[in-house]
Amino acid sequence: MTGMHALQKMLGEHAHPRADRVQAGDFLEIEPDVFAFGVSYNAQEADKLEADLAELGVKQFPLKDKIFAFQDHGAPAPSGAFAAGQKKWREVFRSRGIPVADPGAGISHLIMTERGIVGPGTVVALRDSHTPTMGAVGAFAASLAGNVLALFSIGRYWLDVPRVSLVKLEGKLRKGVFGRDVALHINGRLRQRGALGQALEFGGSYVQALSMDMRFTLCNTATEVGAMASYIQPDRITLEWAEPRATRPIKVYETDSDFEYEKVWELDVSELEPQVAAPHAPDNVKALDEVVGTQINQAYLGSCASGRLEDIAAAAAVVRGRKVHPDVRFIVTPGSREVLNAAIRLGYIEALNDANAIVTHANCGACPGLHGGVLAPGDVAIACNTRNFQGRMGQGAEIYLASPATVAASALEGRITNPLKYMS
Amino acid sequence: MKLAGRVWKFPQDDINTDQIRPKMYAHLPLRDQAKHCLEMLDREFGDKVWSGDIVVAGRNFGAGSSTPAFAALIALGIAAVVAESFARVFFRGSISGGLVVIPCPGIVELVTNGDRIEVDTVANTVVAVTTGRTLACTPLPGVLREMVELGGEKAYLKARIAAASR
Ligand code: SF4
């Protein structure tokens, strides 16, 4: 038997019964360290959960002290139906003594890592499909994929131990090219099935020198290539970020030297140009210059892919002292209140506001197409959210995915624009 | 469990949750949402499909979000989805929710639209009734197999909690 990956060791340690040797394909019953739940807007779903819990005879949640609830999708409510649904969902948690984060606190993945609820070695269960984002701190973070009732009623869920592939990134980026361009390039290379059901580790000299903000951006994109989890081996950068925030013990797992990766993807980022994912798939990736000049109606900066401080800094640098094109709605949604506060302190928000960008509270914002920037049929958007499926941000609209700098430069010109000319 | 039904074939890869349950109808009751299931690929699918029919699809069926898109297929009465492969979140969510989902490499080539197929979740096979050709499906690990046989995660938990208190 060959060696184990750090993620596989994490799972083995959280398994019931505990498993010291696990391998890809094993199916484990796991007790997570953290169970996070995004408050939905669907009242029927809340009623059904309560009915199911009553049927199973569950009154208190066995994971009670490990549950965190958030309101990040479509909150505060854009309509009466949403308001009624969210009210019911909040009640599910509050009636059992579980606090619910307010709708301006931000996106679950950001809050949990920023607040040190999830750190190196944490096994976290969350329904959201972009849960792998949190692998950037060295956690095991995979979407629940079913299992909701199990986690509420018996406090455990089932995970298949994944095979692990490595994306090895070498080199340094050219000016005008950002972490998000690298992430989009990975989407294009691996396509939507490149890591189907696997975990995806990011490594190499580019990653070793990378900021935490951009590590989250890389790990976020694992979802778009079918991966169940992401991983970056915690290093000095991780620990300097995670230690002051930690609310639970940090544990750094190491991958055995004889571990065999399912596949190793080697990419050199040195020559990379700004990238874009054209409608309607996140792996429909091209060099940005192929679509430069395309007219846009909306530009969106935000989401769990690109709503962090570095993203906002890049956009603020582009628009500072300039004005958004009058025909464009440029919406900026910080990923969390921590990001918003820092962006205010550093003057980024002022620069964006002066440029006529619409700066909102911290949230998922327009990304899931629920409120605050829904597109009309025929609208074209350039956005740095996670995916551009047909209909995601509005029926009949087209979404181009790009980096925050590209989004900001395009907002200024009213058409897709290479940000390089705005980089001093 | 054994199922037989008429095939609706969507040979495309990467059919995503926004296509299975388009979000713009999220405010409607589930029944009405289901009418729009897969309409981006076949405008009348929601009207033409009968209860008991089986969807056959390409690779990575159910890519995308963790929203319970499978509920639209259940609401239409779809008996099972047999695909070359599934997106993990959709796959596991469907099993929990009581939709029979079967990964079966080779299925797109095995059948054409309108064929009848028989699915056996214990023997792990799919049979094309007219040609008699049989394919082996990817077997499920124990807990998931139990969930499929019992009809979903709730039924499984119910049985487990009852067994523990006995
Ligand atoms: S920002 Fe978008 S992709 Fe991320 S959790 Fe929110 S809705 Fe999902």
Side-chain angles (χ1 to χ4, degrees):
Chain A
M1 196 179 199
T2 55
M4 284 164 67
H5 191 273
L7 289 171
Q8 299 174 337
K9 293 182 188 176
M10 256 180 252
L11 288 181
E13 253 180 51
H14 288 75
H16 287 269
R18 192 189 144 105
D20 291 327
R21 293 288 323 169
V22 304
Q23 55 181 341
D26 286 357
F27 200 73
L28 304 176
E29 182 162 314
I30 305 268
E31 180 174 328
D33 299 308
V34 175
F35 173 27
F37 205 87
V39 165
S40 160
Y41 40 84
N42 186 314
Q44 281 171 329
E45 270 185 47
D47 289 342
K48 181 159 188 320
L49 176 65
E50 286 292 11
D52 288 350
L53 290 170
E55 195 179 330
L56 294 175
V58 177
K59 293 194 180 67
Q60 280 299 334
F61 299 144
L63 291 176
K64 181 173 183 293
D65 299 326
K66 299 176 170 183
I67 301 180
F68 297 86
F70 303 96
Q71 306 182 74
D72 52 7
H73 288 61
S79 70
F82 272 56
Q86 288 166 350
K87 190 178 176 66
K88 279 204 166 150
W89 271 103
R90 282 192 298 269
E91 198 47 33
V92 168
F93 296 103
R94 290 194 176 140
S95 65
R96 293 173 175 89
I98 294 160
V100 181
D102 78 275
I107 305 166
S108 61
H109 319 298
L110 279 86
I111 309 178
M112 281 195 289
T113 43
E114 285 169 355
R115 296 188 185 171
I117 297 165
V118 170
T122 309
V123 172
V124 51
L126 167 65
R127 183 162 90 171
D128 192 86
S129 64
H130 288 94
T131 301
T133 312
M134 293 182 281
V137 296
F140 187 99
S143 173
L144 296 185
N147 292 309
V148 173
L149 202 52
L151 281 157
F152 279 128
S153 63
I154 62 170
R156 296 183 186 171
Y157 67 139
W158 299 277
L159 282 174
D160 34 327
V161 177
R163 290 170 287 141
V164 187
S165 287
L166 176 65
V167 177
K168 225 173 148 199
L169 300 161
E170 307 291 350
K172 279 205 177 98
L173 294 179
R174 299 202 304 207
K175 197 169 168 182
V177 186
F178 297 84
R180 187 59 197 278
D181 295 301
V182 177
L184 287 168
H185 184 64
I186 291 170
N187 289 357
R189 275 293 296 275
L190 274 66
R191 311 300 306 266
Q192 289 186 63
R193 274 164 270 121
L196 192 60
Q198 302 175 19
L200 202 55
E201 178 177 341
F202 298 90
S205 61
Y206 170 72
V207 175
Q208 279 155 13
L210 200 59
S211 68
M212 283 309 294
D213 279 7
M214 288 304 117
R215 290 182 181 195
F216 285 115
T217 295
L218 282 189
C219 285
N220 176 277
T221 218
T223 299
E224 261 48 66
V225 296
M228 77 186 275
S230 315
Y231 190 69
I232 291 176
Q233 182 62 38
D235 58 8
R236 188 184 49 77
I237 293 172
T238 320
L239 294 175
E240 274 172 13
W241 192 88
E243 272 168 355
R245 303 164 182 271
T247 62
R248 47 187 325 285
I250 282 177
K251 179 160 180 187
V252 176
Y253 292 78
E254 305 276 352
T255 298
D256 293 334
S257 56
D258 60 341
F259 175 74
E260 283 175 17
Y261 287 96
E262 174 75 11
K263 184 166 173 123
V264 178
W265 304 80
E266 303 206 22
L267 303 173
D268 189 333
V269 301
S270 321
E271 297 297 312
L272 198 67
E273 298 170 53
Q275 303 283 294
V276 67
H280 293 287
D283 60 353
N284 189 14
V285 174
K286 314 171 175 194
L288 178 71
D289 285 344
E290 287 183 39
V291 297
V292 153
T294 306
Q295 297 271 338
I296 56 158
N297 309 95
Q298 182 166 304
Y300 180 64
L301 168 62
S303 91
C304 56
S306 297
R308 292 183 171 75
L309 193 61
E310 257 185 75
D311 301 309
I312 294 178
V318 167
V319 303
R320 189 176 294 280
R322 302 188 169 93
K323 294 287 180 208
V324 169
H325 191 281
D327 297 336
V328 173
R329 313 174 289 272
F330 181 23
I331 301 166
V332 177
T333 299
S336 72
R337 188 172 275 131
E338 179 180 315
V339 169
L340 176 57
N341 282 338
I344 290 171
R345 264 198 324 274
L346 293 165
Y348 304 152
I349 298 300
E350 193 180 352
L352 288 159
N353 188 53
D354 284 348
N356 294 340
I358 303 161
V359 182
T360 77
H361 68 295
N363 199 262
C364 291
C367 173
L370 298 171
H371 72 165
V374 178
L375 300 170
D379 268 358
V380 177
I382 187 146
C384 59
N385 47 337
T386 53
R387 45 171 84 114
N388 57 347
F389 291 149
Q390 193 173 5
R392 178 168 177 91
M393 297 172 85
Q395 174 87 349
E398 294 195 334
I399 308 168
Y400 289 83
L401 302 178
S403 81
T406 301
V407 167
S410 307
L412 294 177
E413 298 208 359
R415 51 201 167 86
I416 296 179
T417 302
N418 190 316
L420 193 58
K421 65 197 259 199
Y422 293 103
M423 318 239 79
S424 45
Chain B
M1 181 190 305
K2 282 188 182 168
L3 299 161
R6 177 177 61 151
V7 165
W8 292 92
K9 180 161 139 179
F10 294 89
Q12 298 91 334
D13 297 325
D14 307 319
I15 291 176
N16 65 60
T17 50
D18 285 319
Q19 293 172 316
I20 297 168
R21 189 177 172 178
K23 220 177 327 171
M24 64 170 308
Y25 308 110
H27 59 288
L28 300 175
L30 188 54
R31 258 173 188 293
D32 300 327
Q33 286 186 47
K35 291 246 175 297
H36 300 280
C37 181
L38 294 170
E39 71 178 7
M40 290 177 212
L41 302 173
D42 178 350
R43 185 142 286 289
E44 287 120 37
F45 174 67
D47 295 321
K48 293 186 299 195
V49 72
W50 288 357
S51 183
D53 287 352
I54 293 174
V55 168
V56 163
R59 292 175 292 180
N60 196 24
F61 185 78
S65 86
S66 59
T67 50
F70 62 83
L73 293 160
I74 294 178
L76 289 175
I78 296 297
V81 181
V82 185
E84 295 285 333
S85 63
F86 288 90
R88 175 180 168 272
V89 175
F90 176 87
F91 180 66
R92 294 286 301 275
S94 298
I95 291 175
S96 289
L99 175 67
V100 176
V101 279
I102 320 247
C104 187
I107 187 67
V108 165
E109 202 261 318
L110 184 81
V111 294
T112 48
N113 218 7
D115 278 2
R116 265 186 87 73
I117 56 172
E118 283 173 9
V119 174
D120 186 329
T121 59
V122 177
N124 271 312
T125 53
V126 173
V127 183
V129 174
T130 38
T131 62
R133 283 170 65 203
T134 302
L135 276 180
C137 309
T138 317
L140 297 180
V143 176
L144 297 187
R145 209 163 46 231
E146 279 182 68
M147 283 186 195
V148 170
E149 295 307 319
L150 292 168
E153 184 174 322
K154 183 172 72 176
Y156 168 81
L157 289 165
K158 214 169 161 181
R160 176 162 157 165
I161 290 168
S165 63
R166 222 177 277 137

